[in-house]
Coordinates of all heavy atoms in Angstrom, one line a residue:
Chain Z
L1490 N -2.7 11.9 35.6 CA -3.9 11.1 35.5 C -3.6 9.7 36.0 O -2.6 9.1 35.8 CB -4.2 11.0 34.0 CG -4.5 12.3 33.2 CD1 -4.6 12.0 31.8 CD2 -5.8 12.8 33.7
S1639 N 19.2 24.8 28.5 CA 18.3 25.9 29.1 C 17.0 25.3 29.6 O 16.1 26.0 29.9 CB 18.1 27.0 28.1 OG 17.4 26.5 27.0
G1665 N 29.1 11.4 21.4 CA 28.9 10.5 20.2 C 27.9 9.4 20.5 O 27.2 9.3 21.5
N1744 N 14.8 -5.7 27.1 CA 13.4 -5.5 26.7 C 13.1 -4.0 26.5 O 11.9 -3.6 26.7 CB 12.4 -6.1 27.7 CG 12.5 -7.6 27.8 OD1 12.9 -8.2 26.9 ND2 12.3 -8.1 29.0
L1766 N -4.9 7.7 20.3 CA -5.5 8.9 20.9 C -7.0 8.7 21.2 O -7.6 9.6 21.9 CB -5.4 10.1 19.9 CG -4.0 10.4 19.4 CD1 -4.0 11.5 18.4 CD2 -3.1 10.7 20.6

Side-chain angles (χ1 to χ4, degrees):
Chain Z
L1490 296 171
S1639 65
N1744 296 330
L1766 302 181

